[in-house]
Amino acid sequence: MKRAVSAPWARRAVRQGCFYAAATTSSSSPEAASEKWDGRFRLHKPRGQHLLTNPRVLDAIARRAAIGPGDAVLEVGPGTGNLTARLLASPASRVAAVEIDPRMVEAVTARAAALGLADKLTVIAGDAVEVDFPQFDVCVANIPYGISSPLIAKLLFGAYRFRTATLLLQKEFARRLAAAPGDGEYNRLAANVRLVADVRLLMDVSKRDFVPMPRVDSSLVEIRPRAVAPGVELGEWLAFTRACFGQKNKTLGAIFKQKRMVTELFRRSQRAEERDGGAGGVSLGALDDGSDEDGCGKDDDDGNSAAGCSGEEVAAFKERIAGALESAELAGKRPSKLSNDELLRLLRLFNERGVRFR
Ligand code: SAH
């Protein structure tokens, strides 16, 4: 399974279980209840530790999250608790916050105690990409941007059922997430997310509103999972979009004509046939790795046929691929211009002809 990306320091910290759990520190000084950063320890930029310190922006995020009475809230990366304090003051019944840095675990726990709201908060010490989340209705977070993609994959393609995720993300990432087919930024991430959710840009936030100031601006987005299931096997879809968007500016005809792509799909389709009936797990790795790392999609016209099969078999398989593209009338189109309905139709035509992606 392709897994995300937390820094080695974080993994080590989790493994060592070096977390403080209880509100034992007496740092319930006025500073502890304020969004200003008092410099009590060093903030690590590579760990995504950019605290949001503009009270108006913090208020706006909590308001835009539209937390209702009785909601269970999930926060990822609470830091010193600037946003957490607002979530605790909301009509939510409880807040669970997942934090990887023991110093932050201690700080946010102390903050809740200082506010007299410790009972409403559960701090989960660990890596948000790895730990199981408790049940929640809304997720509200200024997350470390390095885990944006795996976290969104986990939220949307994991077993969680929730109403909305209101997330502060790097501005460019947010634009890509909310892009529509044909937009310059449209990519695999947007196609995958669109399969199961609607995304709205809510507001931009300046990098000046953070301490320390990051290099990038941010945007708040709302991700709202759709009630209706997409009607496609998820692993197959994710592998299909990886193949398509690896070279999103080529035409589908060109992408699926490449020898390397054909032989790789031939191998996979054979494996899928043998496997049929078996469940097979779904990898929830990054959603936007539009690279060729799985070996598909390289311009390679002198590669050999798939191992253990004849050239004729592969040639016949290539014909099936071409047939699907022809019948969809999509050979001349680029993946980044297609709606998910068109992509789904093409995937079905491939699958009907025994062309499988996983
Ligand atoms: N939400 C706070 C802090 C944002 S900084 C605010 O708005 O002020 C990001 C926070 O995420 C830091 O506290 C950092 O320690 C934490 N973090 C980084 N990687 C994480 C991970 N993989 N899982 C959980 N928390 C993480």
Side-chain angles (χ1 to χ4, degrees), residues 20 39 58 66 93-94 107 109 139-140 160 227 247 257 270 294 312-313 326 357:
Y20 307 74
L58 287 156
S93 63
R94 57 182 195 275
T109 306
C139 176
V140 190
Y160 304 104
Q247 305 155 92
K257 215 160 47 192
Q270 280 192 320
D294 60 357
E312 292 88 75
E313 277 181 299
E326 201 173 302
F357 289 78

Side-chain angles (χ1 to χ4, degrees), residues 41-96:
F41 51 76
R42 210 184 133 99
L43 295 172
H44 297 288
K45 286 196 210 174
R47 302 171 190 178
Q49 292 181 344
H50 296 277
L51 306 181
L52 183 55
T53 54
N54 182 334
R56 272 176 295 117
V57 174
L58 287 156
D59 289 343
I61 295 175
R63 200 173 53 244
R64 301 300 295 257
I67 299 166
D71 276 344
V73 176
L74 174 73
E75 186 185 7
V76 171
T80 53
N82 286 349
L83 184 57
T84 322
R86 270 95 181 156
L87 304 177
L88 290 170
S90 78
S93 63
R94 57 182 195 275
V95 176

